[in-house]
Structures are given as C-alpha cells and as structure tokens.
Amino acid sequence: MNSLLPVAGALCVVLGLAACGVQDGGGGDHYLPAEQRVRSLALPFDEYTLSPFEMRTLDHAEDLLVRDCMRGHGMDWQVLPAPEEEGTDPAHRRRYGVIEMEVAEQYGYGAPPGAADEVLVEETREDRLTLLATEHRAAHGSEGETGCLEEAAGDITAGVPGIDYDLLNSYIHTSFEASQSAPPVVDAFSAWSACMADRGFDYPTPPEASADERWTDGEGDPSTEETEVATADVACKEDASVVEVWREAEAAVQEGLIEEHPEDFALFAQVRQIRLETARTVLERFGP
C-alpha cells in the first residue's frame, strides 16, 4: 500500500503489515525480483506519493550530504548504497496479498528476503550504533552544536512545505478499505473463495487467508500447509482476476478522493516533486 513519508519505516505504516517486510531468510536467502506484471501495477495515488525506490534514493542523497559534512570534520561516513530500481520492490508488490507463484511456493505468506543492497543498508545502520565518540558528536551534534545528520536532514527538506501525513495515510487507508466493498470486488472475492473451496480451503476473502493466525509469526521456513494455501491463493486470484478487478476498483476510489480534495492532493504532489528534485540535485552534485 503506497507512500510519501519522510522515513522508510513510516512507509510500512502506510502500506500495511503485509506490504513491506524485508526478511533475512525464511524459506530461502535470495532476492526474487518482482515480476514485470507486478511492477506494472499502478494507482492514481502514485503521482502523489513516493515509491520504495524513490524513498531509498532520498535516503542515499541525504547520506551523501552527511558524508560531505563529516569529511569537513576530517572523518569519513559510509554512505547507504544507491538503490537499483529493479532490485527494489515496487510499491504494490504485496498490496493485494501474495500474487506471485514463486513467492508463494518459497515463502508462503511471508515477505521474501530483501535484495543484497537492502541487507547492506541494515548492516550499515547497525554499524552506526557503534561510532567512536568523536564521530558520534560530529554526526549527532553536541550541546549547542548541530550534527551532520541534522544538517543534512535540513538540507534535504529545504523548501518542502509541511503536510499532514496522517491525512495522507487516511486517504490511502480509505481507498484500500472502500475498494473491498465495490460490487465487482465482492464478486471476484466470491469466485476466488469458490476456487479455494474446490482446492479444499475455506476462506471467504483473500485478506482472511493471508491473515490466518497459523502463519503470522513470520519466523523460520513456512509450513507445507502455508505454501499450499498460498499457492492456491495465487492460482485462484488469477482464475478470478482478483488483482485486476481490485486494482480497478481502488483506482476509481482514489480518483474520487483526488477530485473531492484537490487542495490536499495538489500539496502532496508539490511535496513529492520538490523532494525528488532535491534528490536529483544532490546526486548530480556528487556524481555516481
């Protein structure tokens, strides 16, 4: 479920628990690039929000500013890696639950492992918890002095109007919830449920299958039963055209919200544009 939040962690609040999770292992240890049809999933709110790739790009740009500042103090700074779009999950990969057969077969309802650079991002952030005292002061500042992290954050957000992120979150949540009540989606869910029943699984809707408490611990390899249900889920979504119908219904809700609240969405678009332009400027300044 999509994003325009200042930090990556907040993205998962907007997108929902199943939408973004980076796993270190589980049923395997290699990144599975999203299928092209998944990458092509688009919604009207995409023009007003930041994708995971764009958020990672902003993080990288901000880190370049931190490194420049730290070097001014005679210290180095390990920059978070520049993301590759094909190696970053698209915004809607898990918005409608598990929709890729290979993911279902290997990880059931769990999130597949993150790409190698995402793992490096986490390792880099962990390393920063053990900075030397002088490095910590330069990065975080001390009494009466601004640190490089705060300075870079100020530079990367300069000129960005303030917006109500809770309001944006509420629009995203509303569109997702309202879409499930649209008659075409109700019919698609019903067809999906009948398809699942033919395979021996009793679930009224796809969200109820993914939320089954038997596979919510997220630890270790998925059970055989979980992968069986998940693969049936994917197959039945394809049979009933669930993703296509659901996306179309949600797109209609989002278009309605945009028309009803033009000033809010104009501001969301402005913030997105400024933030991306700032990131591009920083990247051009420091080069590859």
Side-chain angles (χ1 to χ4, degrees), residues 244-267:
E244 294 79 7
V245 171
W246 197 349
R247 190 218 65 83
E248 184 175 348
E250 185 170 18
V253 176
Q254 291 190 358
E255 288 168 354
L257 288 168
I258 293 167
E259 292 177 2
E260 291 172 22
H261 308 279
E263 293 183 359
D264 290 340
F265 282 92
L267 181 57

Side-chain angles (χ1 to χ4, degrees), residues 57-282:
T57 300
L58 275 166
D59 286 343
H60 175 65
E62 184 172 340
D63 236 29
L64 290 172
L65 294 173
V66 176
R67 183 180 67 182
D68 188 54
C69 175
M70 291 290 284
R71 286 178 174 176
H73 291 279
M75 304 172 193
D76 202 3
W77 182 259
Q78 184 177 355
V79 175
L80 297 175
E84 295 182 2
E85 190 157 13
E86 289 299 315
T88 305
D89 278 355
H92 308 304
R93 185 174 194 178
R94 298 177 64 79
R95 186 172 187 83
Y96 304 115
V98 60
I99 59 176
E100 298 164 279
M101 188 59 73
E102 190 174 1
V103 172
E105 290 172 345
Q106 294 192 41
Y107 304 103
Y109 286 100
D117 66 338
E118 291 178 335
V119 175
L120 181 57
V121 166
E122 296 307 313
E123 292 175 348
T124 301
R125 286 177 170 151
E126 288 180 9
D127 289 343
R128 292 176 184 175
L129 298 176
T130 58
L131 291 174
L132 298 175
T134 53
E135 294 173 331
H136 191 277
R137 282 195 297 273
H140 294 273
S142 56
E143 188 173 346
E145 294 185 3
T146 300
C148 290
L149 289 167
E150 184 178 349
E151 182 178 317
D155 290 343
I156 207 75
T157 58
V160 178
I163 65 173
D164 185 347
Y165 288 106
D166 288 339
L167 179 61
L168 174 59
N169 291 348
S170 73
Y171 289 142
I172 294 170
H173 179 75
T174 294
S175 74
F176 183 72
E177 293 299 319
S179 65
Q180 296 179 58
S181 300
V185 176
V186 172
D187 290 343
F189 282 1
S190 179
W192 173 91
S193 182
C195 174
M196 291 292 283
D198 288 342
R199 289 163 169 76
F201 305 116
D202 181 20
Y203 294 101
T205 66
E208 287 171 283
S210 61
D212 192 315
E213 63 182 11
R214 290 175 295 172
W215 29 84
T216 55
D217 59 14
E219 296 183 6
D221 293 344
S223 66
T224 300
E225 184 177 18
E226 179 178 345
T227 57
E228 287 177 349
V229 174
T231 54
D233 183 346
V234 173
C236 289
K237 280 185 176 129
E238 293 176 354
D239 287 350
S241 300
V242 167
V243 175
E244 294 79 7
V245 171
W246 197 349
R247 190 218 65 83
E248 184 175 348
E250 185 170 18
V253 176
Q254 291 190 358
E255 288 168 354
L257 288 168
I258 293 167
E259 292 177 2
E260 291 172 22
H261 308 279
E263 293 183 359
D264 290 340
F265 282 92
L267 181 57
F268 298 152
Q270 181 185 14
V271 168
R272 178 177 184 268
Q273 180 180 359
I274 293 174
R275 297 193 72 191
L276 292 178
E277 288 177 350
T278 299
R280 280 192 289 269
T281 299
V282 171

Side-chain angles (χ1 to χ4, degrees), residues 41-54:
L41 283 175
L43 288 166
F45 281 6
D46 294 349
E47 297 299 317
Y48 307 90
T49 60
L50 293 170
S51 70
F53 170 72
E54 290 166 342

